[in-house]
Amino acid sequence: MKAIVARDFAPIKELVYADWPEPEASGDTVVIEAEAIGVNYPDGLLVQGLYQLKPPTPFVPGMEVAGCVVAVGEKVRSVKVGDRVAAMSSLGSYAEKVAAPERSVMKLPDGMDAGAACALLCGYSTSHYALKQRGQLKEGETLCVLGASGATGIAAVQIGKIMGARVIGVASSEEKRKLAREAGADETLGYENLKDALKQATGGKGVDVAYDPVGGDAFDALSRSIAWGGRLLVIGFASGRIPQLPVNLTLVKGYSVVGVFWGDFTRREPETFQANMRELIGWYMEGKVKPLIEGTYRLAEAASVLQRIHSRGTVGKLILKP
């Protein structure tokens, strides 16, 4: 079969479209013929050797796949050949066929789009876990979402509204801020003078929960804009700079800084992950969450698509198809 292969840790452009051994089904393994493959920012970190996980090389990157089950191991009970499913795995999804453990595989309802299923798996699931389990967002609180036009940002805006929050979306251009408003943001801001803008937008109170996949200067502004008892959620560092926290602020302002390592969560708490996914899929089928799919591309184009995400030139979700 064909797959995208990282022969060594190297720049994203060094990824190759090449032959790769087909996965086999044994034990609790499910083999899925890919219909849609999700592209995520961490995939690019992984292939460059900049992610927490550093697999042996060569390897096939990719965490999300949706498609049809073509083989199951002898211990698999929850799905069968012919089922349409979505699945998470640490590696291996940028391929025509993907192996995943049964615990990470979930059936898709009739009529659910495969690309939307991929969007729910990582982007929406990260935001859901961040706001529900880590941020414990409550109805009536104010949520600030950085990167509010990206895949996880749009998800955080939509989920924040479902949970009853007032949502402030932050994005770098008016076009991107328009997308955040269309996703449900009550108010949108740019990154310029963010601390002062958030102070004005909250009447001096500050934000109750801040969702930060950006880091850098934006984190510095957020760290001074959290309300008493607030939660600053550390999602990632798309700006390229890992900020330093002035811990005196957490003391005098009485707020918490909370790490959100979604990948480890899915492995450590698979039952909670599955419950979260059932809730997300239910919201999708009810029309409450609406993933924005920016574009669909051939699997062979994975390197250029991933580079676009890392240049921060995308909005919404990008999908690959074999």
Side-chain angles (χ1 to χ4, degrees):
M1 70 173 186
K2 291 294 186 181
I4 298 297
V5 181
R7 301 204 185 280
D8 206 342
F9 296 119
I12 294 170
K13 66 181 181 180
E14 300 297 326
L15 290 170
V16 295
Y17 181 64
D19 291 322
W20 190 258
E22 289 198 12
E24 297 181 356
S26 62
D28 68 347
T29 300
V30 177
V31 177
I32 302 159
E33 187 170 34
E35 182 181 339
I37 299 159
V39 183
N40 295 288
Y41 187 86
D43 299 337
L45 296 177
L46 181 71
V47 302
Q48 297 175 84
L50 301 175
Y51 196 56
Q52 294 94 331
L53 174 69
K54 289 185 171 59
T57 56
F59 63 89
V60 174
M63 300 185 290
E64 302 167 338
V65 66
C68 184
V69 176
V70 293
V72 298
E74 66 276 7
K75 295 182 180 179
V76 174
R77 297 292 181 266
S78 63
V79 296
K80 63 184 185 303
V81 172
D83 285 343
R84 281 187 81 239
V85 299
M88 288 295 308
S89 56
S90 299
L91 299 167
S93 292
Y94 286 15
E96 293 176 332
K97 291 183 181 179
V98 179
E102 182 182 15
R103 67 180 180 276
S104 72
V105 177
M106 55 215 75
K107 290 183 181 179
L108 298 180
D110 292 340
M112 185 169 189
D113 177 75
C118 287
L120 295 187
L121 278 171
C122 185
Y124 276 78
S125 183
T126 295
S127 298
H128 185 259
Y129 168 60
L131 299 181
K132 184 175 183 176
Q133 276 88 22
R134 302 300 287 154
Q136 299 183 24
L137 180 65
K138 300 177 181 64
E139 185 174 357
E141 289 190 317
T142 298
L143 166 67
C144 175
V145 178
L146 300 191
S149 69
T152 59
I154 286 174
V157 169
Q158 292 180 357
I159 293 168
K161 291 305 298 178
I162 291 170
M163 296 176 73
R166 176 193 175 218
V167 179
I168 300 171
V170 183
S172 60
S173 69
E174 181 52 37
E175 179 185 4
K176 291 181 177 181
R177 291 190 285 273
K178 181 174 182 289
L179 289 171
R181 290 192 294 272
E182 290 172 351
D186 299 285
E187 186 172 351
T188 56
L189 302 172
Y191 287 98
E192 301 79 14
N193 302 312
L194 182 58
K195 179 174 72 73
D196 293 337
L198 285 172
K199 182 177 181 179
Q200 181 176 351
T202 61
K205 175 180 180 289
V207 299
D208 298 298
V209 176
Y211 179 97
D212 180 15
V214 176
D217 294 344
F219 176 93
D220 296 341
L222 275 184
S223 69
R224 291 165 169 79
S225 305
I226 308 297
W228 179 265
R231 288 81 75 200
L232 200 173
L233 305 177
V234 179
I235 315 297
F237 313 105
S239 70
R241 179 172 74 84
I242 298 175
Q244 300 296 310
L245 173 69
V247 293
N248 61 304
L249 291 177
T250 68
L251 172 64
V252 299
K253 294 173 71 67
Y255 69 80
S256 304
V257 178
V258 185
V260 182
F261 189 4
W262 172 82
D264 218 25
F265 155 70
T266 65
R267 290 183 286 273
R268 291 174 180 270
E269 303 180 48
E271 295 85 4
T272 305
F273 167 59
Q274 287 277 355
N276 282 3
M277 284 304 305
R278 287 192 293 271
E279 184 167 54
L280 283 171
I281 289 171
W283 286 343
Y284 172 83
M285 297 304 290
E286 294 168 9
K288 292 181 178 179
V289 295
K290 299 176 181 179
L292 171 62
I293 308 297
E294 181 188 326
T296 301
Y297 303 86
R298 294 181 297 112
L299 177 60
E301 299 177 272
S304 62
V305 171
L306 196 51
Q307 281 186 305
R308 279 188 57 210
I309 289 179
H310 274 253
S311 68
R312 300 181 69 183
T314 63
V315 293
K317 185 71 174 178
L318 300 180
I319 298 293
L320 301 173
K321 285 184 177 288

